[in-house]
Structure formats: structure tokens, C-alpha cells
Amino acid sequence: MGHTAGEDLEGKTVVYGVTGGIAAYKAPLVARGLKALGVDVHAVMTHAALHFVTPLVMRTLTGNEVHVEMFPETMGSSFEIDHISLADRADLFLVAPATADFIAKLACGMADDLLSCSILATRAPVLVCPSMNVNMLQNRVTQENLDRLKQRGFHVLEPTTGELACGWEGAGRLPEPGRIVQEVRMLMSEHDLSGIRVLITSGPTCEDIDPVRFITNRSTGKMGAALVEAACIRGARVKVVSGPVAVDYAPWAEITSVRSAREMLDAVKDCLGEVDVLIMAAAVADYTPHTYSTRKIKKGEKTAHIELTSTPDILATIRPFKESKVFVGFAAETDNLKTYAQDKMVRKGLDMIVANRVGDADSGFASDTNSGVILSPEGVMYDFENMGKDLLAHRILDLVKERL
Ligand code: PMT
């Protein structure tokens, strides 16, 4: 099977350019995050960057010599020309932080230091992460330079907004190291789901009783978020319909937030015409209060009764609109996992069901791992035990791909 979570960039090389802005203090963490994905990282630092972070830190974290000089005094025994060998070796060039000055150099095609010269000589994609004072960023000349880079096919990760080291508030912050690593991962991964449109439901639904109370379940959205991330980095166009959760979904996905099962059904129906695959990882409430009290229900008798009615079954409701789409359901079961899941798959007309054990701390709700079995109408497709949800997400997508 194709993708693995975590080590999918094993054997790839990133040439990592660090230029001289205060955000260079984040560079060691970016390098570390890339190494954790199995990337071979070669740092190139400008002279200005040396004021903010030492080559020793970058060398220790990357495990490779750090390149600074265009014309090093000691050339070693190799006859390699640094800027050409770096340019040829790179599967991707990353510049983070990229100062206004360095962006201007790139936009003009200048090549007066090792980093700009290597970028001019490379055929690899280049990801530029600008970071600077808000006024420098918004200056027309910087914006025009960034536009020129984008038009020429450079990838630009926009800076975030907030308090800047110079004391100003506004746009110009370098995104957090994890976000930069995520963008690199997306750009370097094999886009084997390119052109495929995927709708993923995620998280719990909340069924309101009164303005204070509601019925919900233990879903955190972790399984859904893992599916969203995996589908996005493999190039799919991803829509998410999510109940209330605290997890962050991958930044490339389009998110619709809902609260109740009824709202989730409406949102799924709205998107269904535009997707090839539906993955229902959400834990949809099976019951909702028969009536909603607009006033807080006062404490009274020792026992209280809430009349419940069943919610619409989303999968069953949309079944007539399935056509050639691939429908994947989940089954959350404490016992008789296979039998109950098999029954749900048939009843709901699914191509595949991910039956996961719930009730244990390391599987199902809220955990980072999951255990169970994936079934199709033909039988067992895949058994998984204590598997990370990120890796399981890739396995599910591998199986979906076979059905497309
Ligand atoms: O979010 P996490 O904390 O990471 O937890 C992940 C999870 C345990 C919620 C997830 O892995 C999972 O099992 N999701 C499905 C939970 C569930 O509702 O299972 P079910 O067996 O009750 O429903 C079967 C299928 O029908 C599901 O795909 C469900 O989305 C769908 N359904 C359920 C009820 C309903 N009214 N309409 C539906 O379409």
C-alpha cells in the first residue's frame, strides 16, 4: 500500500534557506520537524541569518554541514560546486523566514550569495515564507515582489497576524514551525488523489435540551481530522462537515460547522452533488429532545423525563443520491464488532465500513490510536490493532482509491 503517515518524506531532500530576520529563531524547530518526517535537510544561511541563529544549532539538528559562503576558503576534497550541487540535490527549496530584502532579490533574479544563487539554479519547487514588519510587508514594492514570485510558480506561505517582534501589531509573523512543516509535507507528498473530491463528516453532534443543556457524545474529531489531513496532503479537494470540536482541521480543507444531526444532514445534502467520496466519521446523535425549551428547565422533582425522538439517519437518507460515489461509514461498537458493522454496512448501502472498538482508552473516542476492522461487501479488507489514527486514515484512503 502507498502512503504511510509520518515517514512519507523518507529519502527526500529539502534545502532550507534561513535569512536574517528575527523569526530565524524558529528555524531550528522547522529543521527538526522536517527531520522527524524523514527528510534530509541541508541548511543554507545568509550572513544576516548568522546574527540570529548559529550554524552549530542547524548542523546539530539537521546532521549535515551548514552552507554559508559562496566561495568557502576550504573546499574539501570534493570538486562539487556548492550552489549547483545544492540546486540539483533539492526536491524542494524552503526559505523561512524570507526577509523583504531576500524576496526582492529573488524577484529580480539576483544571485549574489549562496542561497539566491542556488535558488536561481534549481528546478525544484520553492516555498517562500515571508516574515517582516507589517509596513514592510504591506509596502507596494514587497507586495509586487511577492506577486511576481507567485506568477513565476513560487509557493508562498502567507505570514500570520499578531504581535510582531518590532512592537507593531499586524501581518508579518512567520507561521509556527508545525504549520511550515505541514506545508512542506503537502507540497512534497505524492498527490495520488489529485482531482478527487472528498466530503468528510467529523466530530459529535449536540442536541439541545434548553439554553443550558444538551445531549452529545465523546467524539473529539481526531479521526475526522486525521482523514482530512491525509486526503489534503494526497491532493484531494476536501470538504468537512464538523460538529463542535476543539481539533484543528488541515488548512486546505473547506469547513462547514454544524451543531445538530439535522444541521449535519442539511450540510451533507448541500455538498453531496459535488463529491466523489463521502466518509462519515462523525458520531451522529441517534436521539434528540422531542421539544426544545427556550427557557432553562427548572430543577423540580427528584426524577426528570426528557422525551426523545430519533434523529434522521444521514446515510440512509442520502442513499438514493449515491450514484457512483464511494460511501464509507464507521461503526462504533463495544461488542460484536464485525456482526453489527456488517449489518450497518448492508442497511446503509455502503461500499466500506470502518468498524472500530469503543469503550477502551486506546481505541475509538478521543484516543490517538484505533483498533478494529475494515469491511466491504466482499468481506474483511483490513484488520488494525492500536494503529495511529493518522496512519489508519491513509489506509482507509488507499482502500477508497482502489474503488474509484
Ligand atoms: O472523533 P474521535 O474522538 O476521534 O472518535 C472517532 C469515532 C469513534 C467517533 C469514529 O471513529 C467513529 O466510529 N465514528 C462513527 C460513530 C457512529 O456514530 O457510529 P454508529 O455505529 O452509531 O453509526 C454508523 C454510521 O452511520 C456512522 O458512519 C455514522 O456517521 C452514521 N450515522 C449515524 C447516525 C445517524 N443518525 N446518521 C448517520 O449517518
Side-chain angles (χ1 to χ4, degrees), residues 185-266:
R185 189 172 177 209
M186 199 277 286
L187 289 172
M188 294 186 82
S189 293
E190 187 195 342
H191 289 174
D192 61 338
L193 296 179
S194 171
I196 306 298
R197 302 160 305 168
V198 183
L199 172 61
I200 297 167
T201 68
S202 174
T205 64
C206 294
E207 309 298 325
D208 290 328
I209 299 167
D210 68 12
V212 180
R213 307 166 180 105
F214 55 89
I215 300 168
T216 190
N217 58 62
R218 297 169 197 267
S219 172
T220 57
K222 283 185 182 180
M223 189 65 240
L227 284 159
V228 174
E229 170 108 14
C232 285
I233 68 165
R234 290 171 72 164
R237 267 201 279 148
V238 181
K239 291 190 178 200
V240 186
V241 175
S242 176
V245 290
V247 291
D248 288 325
Y249 293 110
W252 313 281
E254 190 185 316
I255 318 289
T256 303
S257 298
V258 297
R259 187 164 174 82
S260 63
R262 165 58 61 184
E263 283 177 19
M264 188 169 276
L265 170 64
D266 291 343

Side-chain angles (χ1 to χ4, degrees), residues 21 40 46 318 328 390:
D40 187 22
T46 61
I318 59 174
V328 181
D390 47 358

Side-chain angles (χ1 to χ4, degrees), residues 201-204 217-225 245 261 264 279-287 311-317 328-333 344 348 350 353-358 363-367 370 389 392:
T201 68
S202 174
N217 58 62
R218 297 169 197 267
S219 172
T220 57
K222 283 185 182 180
M223 189 65 240
V245 290
M264 188 169 276
I279 306 180
M280 283 283 301
V284 187
D286 290 317
Y287 292 96
T311 55
D313 187 309
I314 299 174
L315 280 170
T317 311
V328 181
F330 271 72
E333 307 291 350
K344 280 180 188 170
K348 300 186 185 221
L350 303 173
I353 194 156
V354 184
N356 48 194
R357 247 195 340 265
V358 294
S363 178
F365 294 106
S367 58
N370 217 344
K389 284 183 176 174
L392 175 60

Side-chain angles (χ1 to χ4, degrees), residues 92-96 98-99 103 106-107 125-132 137 142-160 173-175 179-180 183-184 186-187 252:
L92 180 127
F93 261 82
L94 166 67
V95 187
T99 58
I103 290 165
L106 288 183
V126 183
L127 172 62
V128 173
C129 306
S131 170
M132 65 199 74
L137 180 70
T142 307
Q143 289 300 314
E144 282 168 16
N145 286 336
L146 284 168
D147 286 345
R148 278 162 84 183
L149 292 184
K150 287 179 201 167
Q151 280 159 18
R152 287 188 207 139
F154 283 67
H155 301 276
V156 175
L157 181 62
E158 297 298 339
T160 57
R173 285 172 63 97
L174 186 71
R179 176 69 192 91
I180 295 171
E183 193 72 17
V184 169
M186 199 277 286
L187 289 172
W252 313 281

